[in-house]
Amino acid sequence: MRVPLLDLGEQLAPLREEILAEITRVMDSSMYILGPDVVKFEKNVAAYCQTQRGIGVSSGTDALLCALMGLGIGPGDKVLTSSYSFFATMGSILRLGATPVFADIDPQSFNISPAKMREILKQGDKDIKAIIPVHLYGQCAAMDEIMALAAEYDLAVVEDAAQAIGACFPVAEEGGVRWQRAGSFGVAGCFSFFPSKNLGGMGDGGMITVQDEAFAQELDVIRVHGGKPKYCHGVLGGNFRLDAMQAAILDVKLRYLPEWHRGRRQNALTYEALFAETGVLEKGLVQLPPALYRPYADEPVAGADYHIYNQYVIRARERDALRDYLLAHDVGVEIYYPVPLHRQECLVKMGWQGPALPETDKAAAETLALPIFPELSKEMLEFVVAQIAGFYRDRGML
Ligand SMILES: *Cc1c(COP(=O)(O)O)cnc(C)c1O
């Protein structure tokens, strides 16, 4: 058996005709950049993400860049974020001449630790203007505590929700809990439609979700070189536009997204049951990713997309040897991310310095992403778990 990390072909097969019809329609429309297809998709994403506006942009990276430009982040400013993320989180800060400040992660969630953020903010550095929490792997960062900190220190929150479209955070309110979606908490939510995300296009694409209409209008303009009216540039922007073709394809896929999220969650539950039978958990050889906000043991709760499992990331003893073994046994795995942002050469070369981030370094050394895409069969999941148990048994550890 062969189990790839991700197989987009299986997802595409049942949508093929529907998507081809959209591609033909857009092709014949001669409207290829922005236009009605982008507007329609923006409305649908905004509604899904519980926000007032969506601004379609060229990538998740450009969503972050555009949002930070809209906030006026620039040289001399600092942005508080997590070092345990994809490069774009930091790249967008650096490209504006601003400086990242990193708070260590919470080892449970892999997301930025509010306690560590508070330690940093207490030092009173007035150059810190914004926070970028990353909802890593598809589970929301602790948005209640992060929003409280942002209010206390008067900081803008730009959510890096690139891996977390649709993920919900449980907000306590009178009489129970409200499930609020990623990207609806901060001044901006930044999404990516890179093909490997839960909602992936056939090329690059992104979206900024915004609650405030005035800020949304600023981003509308920044997206088109800051031109308003056309050819008159009152502010500096860039070409951050989304293609109509991508929007039309993504709009078809958006309708299937809740079902795909469910499939991924079901696979996570199956992994939990399968791993429990092997003994690797009791022996401390493997730690499964905790679903911190899962509201139930058996019966799903409507609207509670507590985790969308863009990645299913375990911690494993002898991680590098396990990775090599799994790849040799036809199981696709990947390390997200082997080099944390604070150790990236381009940052170090700038002379950047900051305090140690032990939990970030530990995660980078221990984590391994397993296949989790919705179309995996039970037999494939069983195969993955059997290979992992086999690896530890071969080494006399199990
Ligand atoms: C994918 C990703 C991005 C960037 O998205 P692109 O569309 O590839 O530019 C940013 N942040 C995180 C956490 C991501 O996973």
Side-chain angles (χ1 to χ4, degrees), residues 58-62 64 85-89 134-136 160-163 191-194 197 204-206 310 337:
S58 29
S59 67
T61 302
D62 287 343
L64 289 163
S85 181
F86 176 61
F87 180 76
T89 310
V134 183
H135 306 306
L136 202 69
D160 183 340
Q163 301 183 5
F191 294 91
S192 164
F193 306 123
F194 185 81
K197 312 289 172 161
D204 278 309
N310 181 240
Y337 296 90

Side-chain angles (χ1 to χ4, degrees), residues 122-288:
K122 266 202 323 219
Q123 294 164 19
D125 186 342
K126 292 280 177 257
D127 293 338
I128 298 179
K129 298 286 167 56
I131 308 173
I132 307 183
V134 183
H135 306 306
L136 202 69
Y137 306 143
Q139 179 168 252
C140 285
M143 290 315 289
D144 48 356
E145 292 174 78
I146 291 171
M147 293 311 293
L149 277 170
E152 187 178 336
Y153 289 93
D154 193 22
L155 303 172
V157 174
V158 173
E159 296 172 65
D160 183 340
Q163 301 183 5
I165 188 165
C168 292
F169 182 83
V171 178
E173 60 177 21
E174 253 191 62
V177 148
R178 177 169 49 83
W179 291 91
Q180 189 176 331
R181 293 207 197 267
S184 67
F185 291 86
V187 62
C190 299
F191 294 91
S192 164
F193 306 123
F194 185 81
S196 68
K197 312 289 172 161
N198 283 31
L199 180 61
M202 297 183 183
D204 278 309
M207 182 79 68
I208 312 169
T209 52
V210 173
Q211 301 288 23
D212 180 66
E213 179 60 29
F215 189 55
Q217 285 180 18
E218 283 180 51
L219 298 179
D220 285 337
V221 177
I222 289 173
R223 173 177 65 174
V224 289
H225 296 286
K228 188 188 181 188
K230 216 173 171 184
Y231 308 123
C232 298
H233 302 264
V235 294
L236 179 64
N239 175 357
F240 301 128
R241 298 174 304 230
L242 180 64
D243 293 347
M245 200 80 91
Q246 287 305 333
I249 293 166
L250 287 161
D251 205 44
V252 171
K253 295 181 97 178
L254 179 61
R255 295 200 283 277
Y256 297 84
L257 190 60
E259 194 180 313
W260 294 333
H261 289 339
R262 265 198 299 282
R264 286 170 182 266
R265 275 199 295 277
Q266 185 51 55
N267 289 344
L269 292 170
T270 304
Y271 268 140
E272 286 174 19
L274 291 172
F275 273 110
E277 291 168 9
T278 62
V280 296
L281 304 178
E282 290 88 331
K283 288 227 158 64
L285 301 170
V286 167
Q287 269 175 268
L288 302 184

